[in-house]
Structures are given as C-alpha cells and as structure tokens.
Amino acid sequence: MKDQCDDEFYVGYLPRAPFLIGRRARGVALALVACGVALAAVLVLGQERLAGGTFEFLRYRTFVGVIREQPYPTLEVPRPGVDGD
Amino acid sequence: MSITYGAISWNRQKRIYDTVMVSGVLLYLTVFVVLGLVARPELTVETLLIRALGTCSLVLLHVVLAIGPLCRFDRRFLPLLYNRRHLGVTTFLVALAHAAFATFQFHAFGNVSPFLSLLISNTRYTSIPDFPFESLGILALGILFVMAATSHDFWLANLTAPVWKALHMLVYLAYVLVVGHVGLGALQVETSPLLVVPLACGVALVVGLHVAAAVTEWPRDAEPTRGEDWIEVCRVDEIPHNRARIATVGKERVAVFRYEGKVSAVSNVCQHQNGPLGEGRIVDGCITCPWHGYQYRTETGRAPEPFSEKIPTFQVRIDGEVVFVHRCPNPPGTFVEPAVVAAPVERMR
C-alpha cells in the first residue's frame, strides 16, 4: 500500500487528489476529528468540580470582611458555616 | 499558485480542507460545552466556552506542529500540509476568542480598563502557584497574530522567504509560552490526570516527532567528500524516473532529477516556503514541489512563465554510470546543459 502511495503525487491545486492519497487523507481527517471529539470529552470530564460556587452575574449581595490591597484587591470574608472565624 | 494576489486562491482541495477543519472545530466546541453542561451543571456556558476555546486552540496548535515532521516520514500526510496556513489562522482566531471571553468574564466588571486590569491585577512573577500566567498567553497570542497576519503569499514575497520563514519559526516560542500558560495557569488548580496526561502526551508527541525528524535528516547533511570540485552523488539507476535523489554538495542540499534520459541538478530548496524539491516529481516537464506545487524548469531552475521564482542550478556530469555534481551553485535561473544518460543505463529502468 505504501509503495503504491509513493507512486502517486499530490498537488493541492489540481482538482482531485490521487486515489490512494485521497483515501488516506480522508482517513487521517476522520481520525483527527474523532480524536478531537474524544479529547473534548476527556478534558471536560477531567475538570474539578466547583463545590458550591456559582457565577452570580448582576446579582448584588452585601459582604463584611477585610479588604487587602496586595497582591490584588481582595475581600476576605469568614468561611460560611464556620463559627467564630 | 497565482500571479496576482487575492484574499485566498480558492480551489476544490482548499474548500474540502476548510470544511473539514471548521466542522471539526465546531464539533469539538459543541461536544465540550454540551457535555460540560450535563456533567458539570455548576459551570456556566461562559466558563465552558472559555475552556472549550482554550483547549481547542491548544489541540489545533499540536496538529499544526505535528504535520511538518509527519510529512518528513510519510508523504501521505502531504495533503494536510498543503493548507496548513488556514489551520494556523484558525488556531489564532480560536485563541483570540478564548482570550476575549476570558478578559470579559474576569476583568470587564471592575473600575479600570479590562486590558489594564489583565496586566496589573497580578504581578507575582516570582511565585509558581500564583504566577500571572495570563502574560504568557498574551505573548503567545501576539506571536500567533503576527503569523496569521503575515500568512498570505503577499507577505512571503515582500518580506522574502528567509525573513518570512524566520518569522514563522516563532511558532515554537508561541508553543512554549502556551504550554507555560496552561501549566502555570489552569493546571495549578486543575490537577486531574485527565488534564495533565493529555498535555504531557501532546508535548512528548511534538518534541518526539521533531527530534526523530532531525535525527532522520542528520545523515543527509553529512558531506561525503571534501575539497573536491565535483562531488560523487550516486549511480544513475539509483534515481527513479521523473524523481530525484537528494545529496549534500558543499553545504547545500541538491536535488538531482532524472527525466527523459537526462539528469539535472538544482537547489533542493523551493523559493516559496523552503519545501524539499527533491521529494517532488517532474510534472508536465517541470520540477514540482511536494508542499504547494510550485514548479521550476529542470535546465534553468526558473518557474514557467508568467511566474518569476528562480532557484540555483548546478553543473552535472555522468562518468560511466556515476553522477557527479559541481560543488559551486550557479546564480538562480542559470541555464545548465543536462547530462545525458547513456542508452544502456537508460534501458535498465
């Protein structure tokens, strides 16, 4: 098969790829897309869970804590559910 | 090939290539976001999209970097190389979308400019766990932008091939920066082997393929004979019809082609993107580059009119059945009389 492919020559601007090279390219493209989809599934399932965290876009709440300027502005608040902290 | 500059010189192969590429990217993003919404309901669509775009651009960058060495090993991968620039531009656009969404989500709601916030919100450059990994991503995105912006043949022609090629070698620096961006960023929080192992495998694949390709190419650059004007290259019958044998003459790789009972020698380096002409073929009487199909006449090294590319030619002679090439290249486009293969040798093939 490889020897037969070696007899063919691919030129991208010609209308059609040679048969064996075209077939191999289709196989490689399908394999790449399949690997990409499998990888997407693996990477999304590999993410850490955000325990109790939610993104509250445009929901305003009041917090009491200590503002620290460095290394970047942060409001340190007592850990929820921990008494006397 | 084109003698005028259009935005893109579309042809059937490029349309197929881009259709598969865009479909693959959309499928990846869809699977990531939809599966994420099901398996990680605490994550918002925005967060999933940021992560999907980031990982997608990283996957694309790995494919871009793997195509080159894969083609060194097996010419059946050449169709992937033909339109690699579109893959590179797509990598940049997906990375840009990742950066834009992330900047908006994490820096757009403060009282300073999002871009200023991005640069000054964390300056702990001496800390590994708190390193401002965003800066590495910004640098990588800048390199990818320069490469995408200069990817058209207009820039290749005006910057000259050596400058353009050197500029686009920065993709390796961009890759290092992106790996640093991920390693010092997401992987400082996300420690699952499902994330670490794929990245490690990707790095090993890219590095391994390039090292293997370099090791394979190394012997070709070993000059067989020193100090002589005429360098013995090979026997005539070792060159297949309408193909070439690559040899190192002086300090330059030379492609020695056999065709129509004659032998000619030209530089192995295509003027377009430094493609290996010696791995090409004679098509319609012209040497044809395997990468993008640029063509040159065998005797002169000139592209057929109306094209204007020229490559250096070399004097060549045949003693008995042995091909010799003169070590000094002629100026690009210089006519050289081909060496004629003796009839008995020609009949052997």
Side-chain angles (χ1 to χ4, degrees), chain A residues 13-52:
Chain A
Y13 52 76
L14 295 181
R16 284 193 169 278
F19 176 73
L20 290 175
I21 289 179
R23 194 169 71 176
R24 170 50 67 102
R26 281 192 291 276
V28 170
L30 281 174
L32 277 176
V33 172
C35 285
V37 169
L39 201 54
V42 168
L43 295 180
V44 79
L45 295 176
Q47 297 174 90
E48 299 278 343
R49 290 191 176 276
L50 297 180

Side-chain angles (χ1 to χ4, degrees), chain B residues 3-338:
Chain B
I3 55 168
T4 57
Y5 293 116
I8 299 173
S9 302
W10 288 107
N11 59 41
R12 182 173 178 273
Q13 301 287 338
K14 282 188 180 177
R15 287 193 182 93
I16 294 172
Y17 195 110
D18 285 0
T19 301
V20 173
M21 179 181 67
V22 172
S23 303
V25 168
L26 291 177
L27 190 60
Y28 180 97
L29 297 177
T30 304
V31 168
F32 196 105
V33 173
V34 171
L35 193 59
L37 286 173
V38 173
R40 297 285 186 272
E42 73 275 14
L43 297 177
T44 62
V45 174
E46 295 88 346
T47 300
L48 284 167
L49 204 51
I50 289 168
R51 295 179 180 185
L53 289 164
T55 54
C56 183
S57 63
L58 186 56
V59 171
L60 287 171
L61 190 55
H62 277 87
V63 176
V64 167
L65 290 174
I67 288 174
L70 282 174
C71 289
R72 309 303 302 160
F73 296 122
D74 192 335
R75 64 178 64 241
R76 287 175 291 182
F77 287 102
L78 281 170
L80 297 183
L81 183 97
Y82 175 65
N83 212 22
R84 185 172 52 173
R85 278 185 278 186
H86 287 203
L87 203 52
V89 172
T90 303
T91 303
F92 163 69
L93 292 175
V94 174
L96 180 66
H98 163 75
F101 276 114
T103 303
F104 181 80
Q105 172 137 322
F106 298 116
H107 297 275
F109 301 107
N111 54 3
V112 295
S113 153
F115 301 108
L116 188 60
S117 169
L118 182 65
L119 295 172
I120 66 168
S121 60
N122 180 7
T123 54
R124 300 176 71 180
Y125 285 94
T126 54
S127 166
I128 288 179
D130 294 325
F131 190 87
F133 61 93
E134 297 92 339
S135 56
L136 302 179
I138 293 169
L139 287 173
L141 191 63
I143 291 173
L144 293 179
F145 166 71
V146 171
M147 291 178 59
T150 60
S151 63
H152 196 278
D153 273 353
F154 170 84
W155 290 103
L156 176 62
N158 285 281
L159 291 173
T160 72
V163 172
W164 188 90
K165 194 75 181 176
L167 189 65
H168 283 243
M169 291 294 276
L170 288 175
V171 69
Y172 293 105
L173 176 59
Y175 179 66
V176 172
L177 290 168
V178 168
V179 171
H181 174 71
V182 175
L184 293 170
L187 293 187
Q188 294 300 312
V189 182
E190 304 274 357
T191 54
S192 165
L194 291 178
L195 301 182
V196 178
V197 171
L199 180 63
C201 289
V203 173
L205 179 75
V206 168
V207 173
L209 281 173
H210 281 79
V211 169
V215 169
T216 306
E217 294 287 309
W218 187 272
R220 280 187 175 178
D221 288 330
E223 190 180 355
T225 313
R226 296 181 183 281
E228 299 171 5
D229 285 340
W230 288 91
I231 309 298
E232 181 180 333
V233 172
C234 61
R235 292 163 54 88
V236 172
D237 58 9
E238 289 175 326
I239 311 174
H241 274 290
N242 290 327
R243 293 172 68 177
R245 187 175 175 96
I246 300 171
T248 301
V249 174
K251 291 187 176 178
E252 192 169 351
R253 285 189 185 179
V254 176
V256 184
F257 278 90
R258 180 182 177 189
Y259 58 98
E260 299 171 359
K262 294 178 280 189
V263 171
S264 289
V266 298
S267 166
N268 189 51
V269 181
C270 179
Q271 278 294 288
H272 178 222
Q273 283 190 25
N274 295 355
L277 287 174
E279 295 174 25
R281 299 284 174 91
I282 304 286
V283 177
D284 297 332
C286 289
I287 296 165
T288 305
C289 182
W291 282 9
H292 300 95
Y294 271 57
Q295 292 190 306
Y296 304 91
R297 296 195 188 283
T298 49
E299 294 94 341
T300 62
R302 291 173 180 266
E305 296 73 17
F307 305 104
S308 57
E309 288 81 10
K310 292 181 287 188
I311 53 173
T313 54
F314 288 79
Q315 302 288 334
V316 61
R317 67 180 169 86
I318 300 173
D319 279 355
E321 296 179 6
V322 180
V323 178
F324 290 84
V325 172
H326 198 278
R327 67 163 55 245
C328 298
N330 296 310
T334 304
F335 174 85
V336 172
E337 192 71 47

